[in-house]
Amino acid sequence: MTDNAPRQETPGHSGWTSSLARLGLTLLVGSLGGTVAVYWGIPLPWMLGPFLICAAASLAGISLAGLPKGREGGQVIVGLAIGMRMTAAAMATTAVLLPAMLAGTIFVVVMTMIAALLLMPLARVDHRTAFFATAAAGMADMATVAQQRGGDPDVVSLMHAIRVASVVSVVPVLVIGFGEPGAPVQAGGAIESLPLLVMALGLAWLTALLMRPLPFPNPWLVGPILLGAALSGSGLLMVAIPELLIILAQLLIGISLGVRFKRALLLRLPRVVAAALVVSAYMIGSSAGAAWVMSSVSGLPYMTSFLALAPAGVTEMVITAKVMNLDAEIVAAFHVMRIAVIASTILLTFALFERLEKRLRDRPV
């Protein structure tokens, strides 16, 4: 007996096919955004183009999927490229700037505390939510800690997404539009070899995996930077990172930023969205002013200082510095120092903020 009934797809097979289709659509939309951005001459087109179009598509209700390990893969590529530039002279220059990095970290902590005080009345949120929503640390980590401390994790996640999006959208455009590019930098004696490149990328990925359980900030970027610096600084291996790979990294990172935006959450919290835009503008303006002071005191170029103090997006700021041939390794070092200090002292800083907020609240009017 022949069964002529149409074959039914199993739920598992159907779900797998649907996920694959969403991934394909996401890549198509992201690539289209990058292509259009190149055509229109948008700065950093392969990051900002995919980011903007994927965010717009998500807000329009189009179901896009985050690429599995896409952002991590992009960070590994960028980290290795930066690490390969870390010569002994570059590392010595970076070490001399440790006091400036510490000062920059203190500035960011103070700036974000003020931002939290601004966010409270603007968004009508409690002080716990406001503090963790403006802390210059990882979105997922801050949302989790906020929930543990009685804050609203949805508001925290949304605020961080808008803060990062604002910084990534505005700061690179300002730097590329008004800054002076530096001279092209390439690791001296870098070898163009596909097998060596694949080996180096594999080692960079493995290094990131090994660093994940350790208390290091952003292991997907920092691990490859340290590996590249060790290989390049020792002279053991200096491999050239093709520009096509850097473009791929920007595409993956831009897509991952864009698909974070969820239409339902933004529609549910319109006041938070408006407040987040105001507070993000304050942060960018404050960083721009502090960068002028740091540049005057430390001798760093202004645009390098601006990227180093920008209150979000370490990978995106490092990519901008690399595209502009600025001191990307110094920008990375500033951000890594900031993330490490803030992440390790966040509860102590929160306790100080609570005391400050209580004192201001109890102050006679």
Side-chain angles (χ1 to χ4, degrees), residues 128-183:
R128 299 177 184 85
T129 299
F131 175 83
F132 292 108
T134 54
M139 176 174 67
D141 294 338
M142 292 303 97
T144 301
V145 177
Q147 188 171 30
Q148 293 170 351
R149 298 280 160 171
D152 186 333
D154 286 344
V155 171
V156 172
S157 297
L158 181 58
M159 175 64 200
H160 277 280
I162 293 175
R163 172 175 60 87
V164 172
S166 300
V167 173
V168 169
S169 300
V170 173
V171 173
V173 173
L174 292 177
V175 171
I176 293 174
F178 298 100
E180 290 292 331

Side-chain angles (χ1 to χ4, degrees), residues 119-358:
L119 184 65
M120 287 169 58
L122 290 175
R124 293 180 183 169
V125 296
D126 62 90
H127 73 279
R128 299 177 184 85
T129 299
F131 175 83
F132 292 108
T134 54
M139 176 174 67
D141 294 338
M142 292 303 97
T144 301
V145 177
Q147 188 171 30
Q148 293 170 351
R149 298 280 160 171
D152 186 333
D154 286 344
V155 171
V156 172
S157 297
L158 181 58
M159 175 64 200
H160 277 280
I162 293 175
R163 172 175 60 87
V164 172
S166 300
V167 173
V168 169
S169 300
V170 173
V171 173
V173 173
L174 292 177
V175 171
I176 293 174
F178 298 100
E180 290 292 331
V185 179
Q186 182 59 275
I191 302 170
E192 294 185 5
S193 167
L194 182 58
L196 288 178
L197 175 62
V198 171
M199 182 185 73
L201 287 170
L203 288 174
W205 187 274
L206 179 61
T207 302
L209 287 175
L210 293 174
M211 286 185 63
R212 285 185 66 191
L214 303 177
F216 278 93
N218 205 342
W220 297 103
L221 180 72
V222 176
I225 287 177
L226 295 178
L227 174 72
L231 293 176
S232 177
S234 66
L236 187 62
L237 175 64
M238 290 189 290
V239 62
I241 310 298
E243 190 61 29
L244 187 61
L245 264 186
I246 301 299
I247 290 175
L248 174 62
Q250 294 179 60
L251 174 66
L252 294 173
I253 291 167
I255 288 174
S256 72
L257 288 172
V259 298
R260 284 182 181 180
F261 286 87
K262 304 301 178 187
R263 181 181 181 181
L265 187 58
L266 266 68
L267 292 176
R268 184 166 66 84
L269 299 169
R271 189 180 183 95
V272 173
V273 173
L277 291 172
V278 173
V279 172
S280 297
Y282 151 74
M283 288 183 170
I284 293 172
S286 298
S287 298
W292 180 82
V293 176
M294 177 168 288
S295 178
S296 301
V297 173
S298 68
L300 283 174
Y302 175 76
M303 289 302 176
T304 299
S305 299
F306 189 20
L307 290 172
L309 294 179
V314 49
T315 306
E316 294 78 22
M317 299 304 100
V318 169
I319 288 176
T320 304
K322 187 180 187 310
V323 168
M324 288 289 286
N325 296 311
L326 301 174
D327 299 308
E329 58 276 8
I330 290 176
V331 173
F334 267 84
H335 280 276
V336 169
M337 165 76 84
R338 183 251 302 166
I339 295 170
V341 171
I342 291 176
S344 60
T345 63
I346 190 69
L347 294 182
L348 173 62
T349 310
F350 176 60
L352 293 174
F353 176 77
E354 279 198 309
R355 293 177 61 182
L356 172 63
E357 188 273 336
K358 185 177 185 302

Side-chain angles (χ1 to χ4, degrees), residues 21-114:
R22 288 177 63 206
L23 287 174
L25 177 62
T26 303
L27 280 171
L28 179 63
V29 170
S31 300
L32 176 63
T35 303
V36 171
V38 170
Y39 179 77
W40 283 351
I42 294 175
L44 224 59
W46 287 106
M47 184 175 72
L48 292 182
F51 158 57
L52 294 173
I53 197 170
C54 286
S58 294
L59 295 179
I62 298 174
S63 180
L64 298 181
L67 304 178
K69 297 299 181 184
R71 180 172 175 81
E72 290 85 349
Q75 290 182 101
V76 166
I77 294 170
V78 174
L80 184 62
I82 299 306
M84 286 292 167
R85 292 172 32 159
M86 293 288 284
T87 62
M91 286 188 276
T93 301
T94 303
V96 170
L97 290 169
L98 280 173
M101 293 179 202
L102 182 58
T105 299
I106 294 172
F107 157 74
V108 171
V109 170
V110 173
M111 176 188 67
T112 53
M113 281 189 177
I114 296 173

